[in-house]
């Protein structure tokens, strides 16, 4: 999803396009962008932007729950939402969140993810022409599923209780 600097993955390319469009439309619209990152690890939701150290999944104090919002949609209460002004600022935050993600090593990939992660970017747009009371809010969710390498190929043994 991320890719190396010389061949950026889907996350970077998609977010680069969001910032390109914001720049292209700056005479017509004002866009405010905000980022959140979470992981689902061992059936626990953790805020990756809350800190907690490398591979700790955001720390023990950042366990979150999904609740139904007032609008009938679902939200992760207490999830940190950080406003970002540039692609560089967003990328630094994403790198910080990535360091907090739970990982494990095996023969095929030294840093295989052991959690699902969701990078969400909220884009709030306000018209600079005509009726300024009109605003739109959109969300882009970039989802990276946990590694699904076959156990026989990765050098890990499957452990089952009672054996």
């Amino acid at each position: 999803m991320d890719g190396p600097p010389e061949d950026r993955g889907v996350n970077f390319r998609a977010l680069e396009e969001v910032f390109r469009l914001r720049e292209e439309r700056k005479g017509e619209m004002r866009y405010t962008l905000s980022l959140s990152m979470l992981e689902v690890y061992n059936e626990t939701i953790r805020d990756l932007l809350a800190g907690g150290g490398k591979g700790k999944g955001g720390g023990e104090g950042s366990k979150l729950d999904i609740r139904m919002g007032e609008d009938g949609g679902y939200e992760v209460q207490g999830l940190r939402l950080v406003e970002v002004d540039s692609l560089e600022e967003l990328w630094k935050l994403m790198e910080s969140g990535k360091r907090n993600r739970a990982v494990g090593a095996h023969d095929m990939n030294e840093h295989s993810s052991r959690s699902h992660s969701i990078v969400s970017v909220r884009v709030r747009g306000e018209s600079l022409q005509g009726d300024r009371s009109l605003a739109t809010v959109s969300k882009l969710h970039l989802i990276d599923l946990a590694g699904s390498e076959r156990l026989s190929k990765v050098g890990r043994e499957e452990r089952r209780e009672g054996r």
Side-chain angles (χ1 to χ4, degrees):
M1 293 291 291
D2 297 330
E6 64 275 2
D7 186 23
R8 294 291 188 185
V10 131
N11 282 355
F12 188 85
R13 292 191 321 260
L15 296 171
E16 186 176 52
E17 181 66 9
V18 169
F19 277 91
R20 188 194 67 74
L21 288 170
R22 181 178 83 163
E23 181 64 24
E24 181 181 288
R25 298 174 184 171
K26 69 181 179 184
E28 305 163 19
M29 299 286 290
R30 176 181 20 238
Y31 292 105
T32 305
L33 284 79
S34 303
L35 172 75
S36 65
M37 286 181 74
L38 65 83
E39 79 171 348
V40 180
Y41 180 67
N42 287 338
E43 300 180 25
T44 300
I45 301 169
R46 294 192 174 102
D47 187 340
L48 293 176
L49 297 180
K54 184 174 178 128
K56 300 292 185 194
E60 288 303 310
S62 61
K63 292 180 183 174
L64 304 170
D65 290 316
I66 299 173
R67 300 278 183 229
M68 185 175 285
E70 292 179 13
D71 63 355
Y74 291 94
E75 60 186 43
V76 179
Q77 291 186 327
L79 184 63
R80 187 172 178 212
L81 185 64
V82 181
E83 192 171 311
V84 291
D85 292 320
S86 69
L87 187 58
E88 293 76 23
E89 184 181 356
L90 182 133
W91 200 246
K92 282 182 184 178
L93 276 170
M94 286 179 62
E95 286 297 317
S96 174
K98 194 168 118 180
R99 284 190 300 272
N100 290 328
R101 192 167 174 199
V103 295
H106 53 70
D107 291 348
M108 286 180 73
N109 185 348
E110 183 180 344
H111 299 288
S112 179
S113 60
R114 293 287 163 243
S115 65
H116 306 301
S117 76
I118 302 173
V119 173
S120 297
V121 177
R122 186 186 74 172
V123 181
R124 185 176 195 285
E126 298 175 74
S127 175
L128 297 176
Q129 302 171 356
D131 188 359
R132 292 183 182 220
S133 65
L134 295 177
T136 61
V137 177
S138 300
K139 293 181 182 177
L140 172 64
H141 302 287
L142 299 164
I143 301 167
D144 186 8
L145 299 177
S148 61
E149 297 87 355
R150 294 193 179 275
L151 293 174
S152 62
K153 291 184 179 181
V154 298
R156 290 180 60 115
E157 291 183 21
E158 186 175 7
R159 296 176 63 118
R160 295 185 184 178
E161 227 171 300
R163 289 190 180 191

